[in-house]
Amino acid sequence: MTTTKRTLEKKFRRYVTALIALIMLLITFVYIYLEREQARNLIGEQALTTALTVAEIPEVKQALIGTGDVDKVREMIDQIQRNAGAEYIVIGDGDGVRLTHPNREQIGQEMVGGDNDDALLYGRSYTSLAQGSLGEAVRGKTPIRAEDGSIIGVVSVGYMIEYINATFLKGFTVFASAILVIFLIGMVGSNALARSIRRDTFGLEPYQIARLYKERHAVIEAVSEGLLATDQDGRVTLLNALAKEVLQIDEQAIGQKIDQVLPDSEIAAVLQTEEATGQNEVIVNEDRLIIYYQIISEDGHYAGKVARFQNRTELQELVNALSEIQQYSKDLRAQTHEYTNKLYAISGYLQLGYYDEAIDFIEEETGTQSRDDRIVFEQIQDPTIQAILIGKRSKASEKKISFTLDPASTVEWQWPAEAAAPLVTIIGNVVDNAFDAVIGRDKPTVEVFLTDLGKELIVEVADNGSGIAESIQAQLFEQGTTTKSGQRGYGLALVKAALKELNGTLEIEHNQPSGTIMSLYIPKEQVGERSERNDSRR
């Protein structure tokens, strides 16, 4: 069984109509209550004022003490009653017996209602709501005092409830007309507002908008790129989990200015300008990022900008590993070519009869080769490090560089697969830098020592180059810093990023008598934590 969802326009119109009707109804109830109370109070005050006036008439006092003309007083009271619009004006003596009454048959009878005591006994003037002989009425009562101040009677001026209600209804008719006009205006306004909201939501219903929001959130969090968006004022409007992790910010950044969230950042500078778009490359928090900027437009006007970025450090490490493998292949071809030349030399020695020279040449080559092979394959257990050293040995041979391994080198622990790419980046770039440093020296030499006997892998690479000036050592690991002409200065920046992933450190010191020693310290116990961190990112 399928259910039909109400459209936003119908739902909005229905709810707003009900809300307006409820508000109007509540206002009406409050108005009725307040106005009726106010009408009763006003009529009561008018009745009391009339009673006070009657109580001061000398003829009334004389009639009560028996020295006045009672008929004349009755005619006068009738006239006052008509002028005041009262239903009745009753004068009673000290015992509450009527001296005047609109109904002459009631004269001489006791006043009813039970509300005369405050006036006759205590001398108070007041208003009351009581049931009289003519019906329920609002009455103003006051005592009549003789010249000596004694109470000789009471005046009761009454206005019937029907009269008060009729007075109230005259004002309520005008009020009801105004309420009806306001209600109709509210209906027209609610319809216009509903249509406006529908246009603003592109005709989508609330459940469709909710579904789109959920799908959008799921897609944003599922993408393997960091996403950061700002509005036309440079305030952050969107931020996914990967962006929070890479940029090291949290959910509180939403709604803040981008230059406050990422102060002194190239990303913030680009997101605050309309013109800058396209691809860019930066290093943020020691991570190399490739960022793509795209403008958000709304009706042809600038409405903000989106930055999507990828952490290229891991990808670059894989690229470097592939490059190293390709380089190994080239180095092996170079080594094959070199050994072919050496075989030709040995063949020439033998053909010329220089047997001793041939033997010496063979012993020198095989001795060096055997010693390095023994170190690499017997003392180095990690295959990644073995591959790096073999490749660099071949590369050194091609470049005519003396590349030696310290006989005391030993690596017994095999590193996990996720550490292979960072190791290639770290050791490979440091050794390549050492090769570049010794090019042009009389006897170019690079020495490598490795050990993991403690809790960390220690790699020392020493060269006899010209060394590194102290003035640039502090900036040596920043992207773009280099001591070589024509180079971009990415090598050591990548080494720093890869070391950060393995929680490693690097030290630089001067080599005697010339050159540089770079010492790498990579803790073995942190690799497992790095693996868990990478799994959480995925």
Side-chain angles (χ1 to χ4, degrees):
M1 180 178 178
T2 59
T3 58
T4 303
K5 295 181 180 291
R6 296 192 185 97
T7 64
L8 174 62
E9 190 171 351
K10 290 181 179 179
K11 186 183 295 185
F12 190 86
R13 185 185 300 115
R14 179 171 298 181
Y15 288 161
V16 171
T17 300
L19 180 61
I20 294 175
L22 178 61
I23 293 174
M24 295 295 100
L25 189 61
L26 291 175
I27 292 175
T28 301
F29 285 152
V30 172
Y31 173 84
I32 290 174
Y33 174 78
L34 294 178
E35 285 299 312
R36 289 190 66 176
E37 287 298 316
Q38 184 177 11
R40 289 180 182 180
N41 291 335
L42 290 175
I43 295 298
E45 292 296 327
Q46 182 178 345
L48 183 58
T49 300
T50 304
L52 290 170
T53 302
V54 171
E56 296 300 324
I57 298 176
E59 287 83 352
V60 172
K61 295 180 180 181
Q62 293 172 2
L64 287 172
I65 62 177
T67 60
D69 187 347
V70 175
D71 291 335
K72 183 177 179 182
V73 169
R74 289 172 181 164
E75 292 178 0
M76 180 178 59
I77 294 299
D78 289 342
Q79 183 63 38
I80 295 174
Q81 175 186 329
R82 288 192 293 271
N83 293 338
E87 186 69 24
Y88 60 82
I89 298 178
V90 176
I91 298 174
D93 60 16
D95 296 324
V97 176
R98 299 186 185 99
L99 183 65
T100 65
H101 193 279
N103 185 358
R104 295 291 188 263
E105 296 177 357
Q106 300 288 334
I107 295 175
Q109 297 182 12
E110 187 176 349
M111 299 172 67
V112 298
D115 55 348
N116 284 338
D117 290 347
D118 282 349
L120 292 176
L121 297 180
Y122 306 108
R124 297 171 184 168
S125 299
Y126 54 92
T127 61
S128 67
L129 178 64
Q131 184 75 29
S133 62
L134 298 178
E136 188 176 18
V138 173
R139 305 195 280 194
K141 289 182 177 289
T142 188
I144 302 173
R145 297 179 182 273
E147 295 299 329
D148 58 1
S150 61
I151 299 174
I152 59 175
V154 61
V155 178
S156 177
V157 180
Y159 290 87
M160 305 304 294
I161 289 296
E162 290 79 4
Y163 172 79
I164 298 174
N165 291 338
T167 303
F168 162 74
L169 286 176
K170 291 180 181 178
F172 180 73
T173 303
V174 177
F175 173 80
S177 300
I179 285 290
L180 180 60
V181 172
I182 293 173
F183 180 77
L184 294 176
I185 293 174
M187 289 295 300
V188 173
S190 67
N191 290 336
L193 184 57
R195 288 193 295 269
S196 175
I197 293 175
R198 186 172 181 82
R199 286 195 301 270
D200 293 340
T201 58
F202 302 101
L204 296 174
E205 298 301 327
Y207 68 91
Q208 295 174 317
I209 297 174
R211 180 175 178 82
L212 285 177
Y213 174 78
K214 293 177 182 177
E215 291 176 352
R216 169 182 174 271
H217 180 74
V219 170
I220 289 174
E221 295 299 336
V223 296
S224 59
E225 297 180 332
L227 293 176
L228 175 65
T230 57
D231 59 15
Q232 65 272 20
D233 298 322
R235 297 185 182 276
V236 178
T237 57
L238 182 144
L239 192 66
N240 70 351
L242 185 58
K244 298 175 190 175
E245 179 182 352
V246 174
L247 301 178
Q248 297 182 4
I249 55 181
D250 54 28
E251 194 70 26
Q252 294 181 353
I254 300 294
Q256 297 186 33
K257 287 275 192 177
I258 186 64
D259 56 353
Q260 297 175 349
V261 176
L262 298 173
D264 302 324
S265 167
E266 181 179 334
I267 298 177
V270 175
L271 289 176
Q272 284 184 307
T273 59
E274 291 188 31
E275 296 78 13
T277 57
Q279 179 177 330
N280 199 1
E281 183 175 339
V282 296
I283 290 182
V284 177
N285 298 325
E286 301 181 1
D287 290 326
R288 182 184 174 194
L289 304 179
I290 303 298
I291 305 184
Y292 304 88
Y293 297 102
Q294 185 173 352
I295 289 177
I296 304 172
S297 61
E298 184 175 340
D299 297 330
H301 300 288
Y302 176 75
K305 190 175 291 185
V306 176
R308 58 183 181 90
F309 52 86
Q310 293 176 307
N311 188 333
R312 291 298 192 187
T313 302
E314 295 181 4
L315 180 59
Q316 186 63 44
E317 290 169 356
L318 296 177
V319 172
N320 289 340
L322 179 60
S323 299
E324 288 293 333
I325 294 172
Q326 292 174 341
Q327 187 62 45
Y328 298 157
S329 177
K330 294 179 182 178
D331 292 341
L332 289 174
R333 286 197 297 269
Q335 189 178 43
T336 300
H337 179 72
E338 183 181 1
Y339 276 113
T340 300
N341 291 332
K342 291 178 180 180
L343 287 176
Y344 287 146
I346 294 171
S347 176
Y349 280 132
L350 294 176
Q351 291 179 27
L352 295 172
Y354 299 136
Y355 303 114
D356 293 337
E357 287 78 356
I359 292 172
D360 292 340
F361 184 79
I362 292 172
E363 288 180 350
E364 181 183 355
E365 289 297 322
T366 56
T368 303
Q369 183 74 26
S370 298
R371 185 196 55 163
D372 289 348
D373 286 346
R374 179 180 55 80
I375 297 173
V376 171
F377 294 109
E378 294 182 9
Q379 298 176 212
I380 308 296
Q381 302 300 321
D382 185 78
T384 300
I385 299 177
Q386 288 177 347
I388 296 172
L389 295 176
I390 292 173
K392 296 307 177 185
R393 186 177 63 183
S394 300
K395 185 173 183 179
S397 177
E398 182 182 3
K399 293 177 174 291
K400 305 303 179 184
I401 297 173
S402 175
F403 181 73
T404 59
L405 298 177
D406 192 306
S409 297
T410 176
V411 177
E412 297 182 355
W413 194 56
Q414 292 192 13
W415 293 73
E418 64 266 18
L423 285 175
V424 170
T425 298
I426 296 168
I427 301 175
N429 277 288
V430 171
V431 173
D432 283 342
N433 277 3
F435 286 167
D436 293 335
V438 299
I439 294 295
R441 309 293 288 184
D442 292 337
K443 293 181 180 181
T445 302
V446 174
E447 298 177 355
V448 178
F449 170 72
L450 305 96
T451 182
D452 67 344
L453 294 179
K455 293 184 179 180
E456 55 189 3
L457 171 66
I458 301 175
V459 181
E460 291 185 356
V461 180
D463 64 69
N464 65 342
S466 57
I468 301 173
E470 294 184 1
S471 59
I472 69 167
Q473 283 191 16
Q475 296 84 26
L476 191 60
F477 294 93
E478 295 182 4
Q479 180 177 319
T481 302
T482 180
T483 60
K484 298 166 282 187
S485 60
Q487 302 293 323
R488 296 184 63 190
Y490 283 123
L492 290 181
L494 294 175
V495 169
K496 184 178 181 181
L499 279 173
K500 180 185 176 183
E501 292 190 53
L502 299 182
N503 295 321
T505 58
L506 184 147
E507 295 180 358
I508 301 175
E509 57 183 308
H510 184 66
N511 191 19
Q512 296 296 334
S514 66
T516 304
I517 299 176
M518 286 197 177
S519 301
L520 307 168
Y521 302 92
I522 306 173
K524 294 184 291 186
E525 64 271 14
Q526 299 296 328
V527 175
E529 296 180 9
R530 174 184 178 273
S531 177
E532 294 177 2
R533 193 164 59 248
N534 288 342
D535 290 341
S536 66
R537 286 185 180 182
R538 289 191 288 269

